[in-house]
């Protein structure tokens, strides 16, 4: 007898990690353009806990619409189980990974099965397992779209100008704040791939990890202030953002840029006076870019660091781990 139901984590109300409930729900049917994926692993990302909290962190006008109950999550790695009639290029049995339907909150990834747009998926790199593949999509694509290629022309809800990544090369000095986290550790590796000189900022516990990934210089923010130590930087990628982000403006040389991954507070007059650019974007699902990341993962040029793994039913513990901070790489849910 084929199964008709699956386990999924759902939110019936907003709140802390305790509102994540394991429910039995129908297995979704793939619609045109979609495939059904039997999920092996799920990446845990900040939008998952923003959704759990009710998106209170976002300005009201930028909040995507959704209704409860909702299955959170966007990042999956798994095996194609069924294919809609109009989908070419993917077959039952193919191993795939992807960032699903982002920036909407309809990814529904915290589940044993998910109906996924074929265009959001890429073939899973052969050289890495499902856990590592599930850690790559959102964080890897964020770093790629900020640093390498935007890959779309959708307007950003957060700024009027289109984000245009600066060309990175051997004469570029890049500072990455929050370098040990999901986006940060990919950004460091992509900047090194392009030949840049990279200064990594994180807490001291992450130093050897970041030097292994290729950091040329390391600053422990618990002991010193990066804005007092470094100057004449070409690009700051701030994977932390928030109120303190503007302190990095003074590390930049004229004509250079600060990319906040999460919005910060910047004084327009100060930015203009310093002659620098502040620019960001919102990551979007993109199967073709993910295939490019997949090739770098297969070649060993990029690697995914895993902070911790938890069984799907224990999503609450995964969110509790996220709330503790000081994450090294990615938190991943596993599906037996």
């Amino acid at each position: 007898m084929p199964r008709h139901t699956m386990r999924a984590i759902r939110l019936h109300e907003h709140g802390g990690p305790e509102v994540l409930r394991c429910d039995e729900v129908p297995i979704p049917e793939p619609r045109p353009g979609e495939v059904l994926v039997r999920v092996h692993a799920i990446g845990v990302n900040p939008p998952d806990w923003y959704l759990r909290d009710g998106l209170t962190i976002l300005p009201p006008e930028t909040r995507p619409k959704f209704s409860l109950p909702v299955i959170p999550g966007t990042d999956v790695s798994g095996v194609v189980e069924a294919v809609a009639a109009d989908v070419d290029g993917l077959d039952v049995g193919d191993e795939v990974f992807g960032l699903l339907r982002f920036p909407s909150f309809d990814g529904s990834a915290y589940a044993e099965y998910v109906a996924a747009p074929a265009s959001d998926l890429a073939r899973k790199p052969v050289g890495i397992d499902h856990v590592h593949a599930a850690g790559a999509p959102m964080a890897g694509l964020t770093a790629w779209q900020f640093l390498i290629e935007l890959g779309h022309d959708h307007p950003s809800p957060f700024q009027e100008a289109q984000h245009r990544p600066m060309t990175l090369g051997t004469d570029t000095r890049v500072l990455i704040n929050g370098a040990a986290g999901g986006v940060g550790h990919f950004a460091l590796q992509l900047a090194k791939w392009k030949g840049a000189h990279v200064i990594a900022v994180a807490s001291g516990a992450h130093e050897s990890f970041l030097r292994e990934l290729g950091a040329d210089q390391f600053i422990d923010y618990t002991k010193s202030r990066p804005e007092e130590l470094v100057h004449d930087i070409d690009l700051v990628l701030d994977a932390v953002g928030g109120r303190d982000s503007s302190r990095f403006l003074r590390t930049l040389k004229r004509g250079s840029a600060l990319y906040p991954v999460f919005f910060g507070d910047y004084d327009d007059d100060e930015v203009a006076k310093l002659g620098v650019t502040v620019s960001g974007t919102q990551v979007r699902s993109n199967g073709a870019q993910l295939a490019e990341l997949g090739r770098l993962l297969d070649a060993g040029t990029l690697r995914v660091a895993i902070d911790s793994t938890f069984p799907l039913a224990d999503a609450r513990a995964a969110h509790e781990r996220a709330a503790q901070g000081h994450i090294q790489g990615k938190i991943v849910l596993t599906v037996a």
Side-chain angles (χ1 to χ4, degrees):
M1 281 283 292
R3 285 180 62 189
H4 298 293
T5 63
M6 64 175 184
R7 288 178 308 149
I9 300 296
R10 293 202 296 180
L11 300 169
H12 295 260
E13 59 186 323
H14 297 295
E18 73 283 350
V19 302
L20 296 166
R21 280 192 9 206
C22 193
D23 293 341
E24 196 76 19
V25 300
I27 292 175
E29 292 276 333
R31 296 192 296 252
E34 295 182 344
V35 301
L36 181 69
V37 177
R38 173 152 194 261
V39 178
H40 285 262
I42 303 137
V44 174
N45 293 293
D48 305 352
W49 53 89
Y50 303 156
L51 178 66
R52 194 198 72 216
D53 289 339
L55 303 183
T56 51
I57 199 160
L58 298 179
E61 67 279 5
T62 68
R63 288 178 198 166
K65 300 281 177 279
F66 64 92
S67 52
L68 296 174
V70 63
I71 302 172
T74 57
D75 274 6
V76 298
S77 183
V79 179
V80 175
E81 185 97 348
V83 180
D86 63 339
V87 169
D88 287 325
L90 286 176
D91 296 305
V92 171
D94 285 348
E95 295 191 315
V96 292
F97 72 137
L99 166 64
L100 307 185
R101 298 192 180 88
F102 202 77
S104 83
F105 280 88
D106 302 324
S108 303
Y110 284 23
E112 292 181 299
Y113 292 86
V114 67
S119 59
D120 291 354
L121 298 172
R123 288 178 187 276
K124 180 184 79 63
V126 179
I128 64 173
D129 61 19
H130 287 292
V131 167
H132 288 77
M138 177 173 280
L141 284 173
T142 300
W144 189 269
Q145 290 172 15
F146 266 84
L147 293 181
I148 308 297
E149 182 204 11
L150 186 59
H152 65 80
D153 53 11
H154 295 275
S156 166
F158 307 119
Q159 68 183 41
E160 284 179 22
Q162 183 82 285
H163 177 72
R164 286 192 169 75
M166 174 188 293
T167 304
L168 302 177
T170 50
D171 53 354
T172 324
R173 297 180 75 222
V174 179
L175 182 145
I176 296 171
N177 185 39
V183 174
H185 90 292
F186 282 118
L188 188 166
Q189 294 176 81
L190 288 173
K192 288 306 299 175
W193 173 57
K194 289 294 184 184
H197 176 93
V198 178
I199 301 156
V201 178
S203 64
H206 300 303
E207 179 170 5
S208 62
F209 165 65
L210 293 169
R211 289 200 183 274
E212 265 174 54
L213 291 183
D216 298 287
Q217 220 176 317
F218 174 81
I219 298 173
D220 179 351
Y221 72 83
T222 67
K223 295 189 173 152
S224 40
R225 300 184 67 79
E227 69 275 19
E228 290 167 6
L229 291 182
V230 292
H231 302 285
D232 293 326
I233 296 292
D234 296 290
L235 175 63
V236 171
L237 181 102
D238 186 2
V240 180
R243 282 170 194 274
D244 292 337
S245 189
S246 58
R247 68 199 170 110
F248 289 106
L249 290 170
R250 65 190 97 145
T251 67
L252 294 166
K253 63 185 186 199
R254 290 191 82 76
S256 54
L258 168 62
Y259 296 168
V261 174
F262 196 73
F263 16 74
D265 268 330
Y266 310 97
D267 181 318
D268 292 342
D269 292 339
E270 184 187 10
V271 171
K273 194 174 80 196
L274 292 168
V276 299
T277 303
V278 174
S279 178
T281 184
Q282 182 177 45
V283 65
R284 299 188 80 90
S285 300
N286 190 314
Q289 288 183 332
L290 200 56
E292 293 189 63
L293 278 168
R295 284 190 279 278
L296 294 174
L297 288 162
D298 247 342
T301 307
L302 273 190
R303 68 184 181 93
V304 185
I306 301 298
D307 176 271
S308 46
T309 61
F310 298 87
L312 174 64
D314 218 356
R316 172 182 176 166
H319 279 229
E320 286 166 349
R321 167 68 194 105
Q324 291 165 4
H326 297 287
I327 295 162
Q328 186 167 290
K330 296 292 302 177
I331 301 168
V332 175
L333 299 173
T334 57
V335 183

